[in-house]
Amino acid sequence: DTEVTQTPKHLVMGMTNKKSLKCEQHMGHRAMYWYKQKAKKPPELMFVYSYEKLSINESVPSRFSPECPNSSLLNLHLHALQPEDSALYLCASSHHGGELFFGEGSRLTVL
Amino acid sequence: AQSVAQPEDQVNVAEGNPLTVKCTYSVSGNPYLFWYVQYPNRGLQFLLKYITGDNLVKGSYGFEAEFNKSQTSFHLKKPSALVSDSALYFCAVRDIGSQAGTALIFGKGTTLSVSS
C-alpha cells in the first residue's frame, strides 16, 4: 500500500471560518510534510514533521496550524485565511532520506 | 544552499520521438536528485531518483535520467514519447541542510507537450 490519502479533495471557506485538512499514510513513514502549490508553480514547503515532532516551519503564518496526532496522521488547521491562501495543499510522507510520496491534494478556495 | 534549475518552461515533442527535460543542480555535497510528474489537478508522482551508483537511472513509465557530475546535470529522458506523457515535470534536490534532512526543493517545473 503506497498511498497518501488527503481529505477533503475540495474545500471552500470564508475568511472567518475554521476548517481542517487531513492526511493519512500507512507506509510506516516517520517524516510527513505539508506543501502549498499555486497553479503551474512548484510546491512550496510549509511544515515537516519528523517522528511526530515539528522539525521545520518555513515561516508560515500562524493562521495555518499543523498537528501530527500519531505516526500515520497529519492535519492542517485553517483559521482566518486570506483569499491569497487559495491553493492546492499537498501532503507527503517519506522514510528519512527517501523519496516523498504525495497525496492528491486538497484544493482550497478562500472567499 | 541546495537548488535546482529547469531552464525550459516548455518542451514540445512529437509522439514517438525521444524527449529530454533538462535539470541542473547546485549542492554543497553529494546530490540526492529526484524527478516527479504532475498531471492536471493531481498530486506529484515519483518517477525516479539518483542517490549513488550508476549514472543512468531507470524509473517509472519508461523514463530514465542521466546524472552528469561534471556538468551538474540530471536530465530526464525517454526514448519514445507518448501523448499521455504530456504533463508538468519537476526536478528536485534533497535539502541535506534542513533539520529533518529530507525536505525536497523543487525546480520551477517544465511543461511537456507531446503532439500526435
Side-chain angles (χ1 to χ4, degrees):
Chain A
D1 184 8
T2 55
E3 190 174 275
V4 176
T5 304
Q6 290 188 243
T7 56
K9 294 189 185 307
H10 300 276
L11 178 63
V12 179
M13 60 186 292
M15 289 189 286
T16 59
N17 292 158
K18 287 185 179 181
K19 297 287 185 182
S20 297
L21 305 180
K22 298 184 182 299
C23 176
E24 187 171 7
Q25 59 90 12
H26 294 288
M27 293 178 277
H29 294 163
R30 300 311 296 273
M32 296 187 76
Y33 314 76
W34 281 114
Y35 282 85
K36 173 184 177 180
Q37 186 182 28
K38 293 281 197 178
K40 298 191 182 300
K41 297 293 186 183
E44 299 173 11
L45 183 65
M46 300 175 71
F47 302 104
V48 180
Y49 273 83
S50 178
Y51 294 98
E52 294 99 72
K53 294 188 186 301
L54 184 64
S55 61
I56 295 179
N57 177 338
E58 291 289 320
S59 302
V60 178
S62 60
R63 57 186 184 268
F64 294 93
S65 176
E67 178 194 19
C68 190
N70 60 53
S71 60
S72 299
L73 294 174
L74 186 65
N75 298 323
L76 186 62
H77 302 298
L78 314 170
H79 175 54
L81 295 192
Q82 303 297 311
E84 59 265 29
D85 297 322
S86 298
L88 182 67
Y89 288 84
L90 294 164
C91 174
S93 69
S94 76
H95 292 300
H96 285 88
E99 63 270 26
L100 274 63
F101 291 87
F102 285 84
E104 295 291 349
S106 292
R107 184 162 299 282
L108 173 67
T109 302
V110 182
L111 301 176
Chain B
Q2 335 287 330
S3 66
V4 289
Q6 295 181 242
E8 302 156 317
D9 290 334
Q10 178 141 354
V11 170
N12 300 309
V13 65
E15 187 175 31
N17 284 357
L19 69 88
T20 298
V21 184
K22 296 180 180 178
C23 172
T24 59
Y25 65 88
S26 174
V27 299
S28 54
N30 293 322
Y32 290 8
L33 297 160
F34 304 81
W35 275 103
Y36 284 82
V37 60
Q38 186 175 32
Y39 295 96
N41 299 311
R42 302 293 297 277
L44 276 70
Q45 295 179 33
F46 169 73
L47 285 177
L48 50 79
K49 67 181 177 183
Y50 174 83
I51 304 295
T52 186
D54 290 340
N55 290 342
L56 185 64
V57 179
K58 293 189 182 296
S60 305
Y61 313 119
F63 284 94
E64 58 189 27
E66 186 170 11
F67 172 70
N68 187 317
K69 188 173 183 177
S70 63
Q71 297 184 7
T72 62
S73 67
F74 188 55
H75 299 332
L76 182 69
K77 300 182 179 184
K78 188 173 182 181
S80 178
L82 299 173
V83 173
S84 56
D85 292 329
S86 298
L88 182 58
Y89 289 80
F90 291 103
C91 182
V93 64
R94 181 179 145 202
D95 181 4
I96 60 174
S98 70
Q99 293 178 36
T102 60
L104 293 187
I105 296 173
F106 289 89
K108 66 178 182 178
T110 298
T111 298
L112 173 66
S113 179
V114 181
S115 57
S116 57

